[in-house]
Amino acid sequence: MLVVTGKGRKQRQLPVLPAVRAAVADYLAACPHGLAADGPLFVGARGGPLNPRLVQLQMEAVRKRLELPDTATPHALRHSFATHLLGAGGDLRAIQELLGHASLSTTQRYTSVETERLLAIYDAAHPRARLAREDRGE
């Protein structure tokens, strides 16, 4: 488990995949700065907290190299993570904890995405269902 500090200095525990644990261990071995146990994991070139704008710029550069749309952002990755968990049968309360949402209603936004996806699959499999929904004005 990894302790993450989010908005409002709220802390939560997150599970860590073995591949991620190995990548973090490699990073720690290569990091030239001494990292405080209660300090940030990722630091900048001078050892201070990593500037969020640097991460955004790197994401932009990767997005351009891979010819991804402008909508491919860190927040979109977070949203996809939650949506895929929900689609795979993840518990809404567990997803709330992983995302660090104080309110379940914030997490429930992801259920509408899943509902839309399921309706699209249903409509593709049953053309008459789509026509019936259109007749009802949905």
Side-chain angles (χ1 to χ4, degrees):
M1 299 297 272
L2 176 70
V3 177
V4 175
T5 303
K7 286 183 182 177
R9 297 185 183 268
K10 196 164 97 176
Q11 292 189 332
R12 62 187 183 277
Q13 288 189 331
L14 301 176
V16 180
L17 297 171
V20 173
R21 184 177 307 282
V24 169
D26 290 345
Y27 163 76
L28 290 172
C31 183
H33 306 288
L35 301 176
D38 60 345
L41 174 60
F42 299 107
V43 294
R46 295 188 181 120
L50 186 61
N51 184 324
R53 184 64 185 142
L54 292 175
V55 176
Q56 291 169 347
L57 291 171
Q58 281 297 313
M59 185 69 180
E60 285 177 31
V62 168
R63 190 171 57 227
K64 287 178 184 173
R65 268 197 315 271
L66 297 176
E67 298 179 2
L68 296 173
D70 290 345
T71 55
T73 64
H75 187 76
L77 292 173
R78 175 182 163 88
H79 189 84
S80 293
F81 165 77
T83 303
H84 287 292
L85 277 178
L86 185 62
D91 176 68
L92 199 57
R93 288 267 183 210
I95 295 169
Q96 174 190 3
E97 281 293 316
L98 289 169
L99 295 176
H101 291 158
S103 168
L104 187 60
S105 64
T106 304
T107 310
Q108 284 176 323
R109 288 185 294 182
Y110 299 103
T111 61
S112 66
V113 173
E114 186 61 16
T115 301
E116 289 172 22
R117 186 183 75 80
L118 290 173
L119 287 173
I121 292 168
Y122 181 77
D123 288 345
H126 303 283
R128 290 185 187 191
R130 180 180 48 80
L131 294 173
R133 286 188 4 174
E134 288 174 359
D135 288 344
R136 290 193 308 264
E138 293 179 19

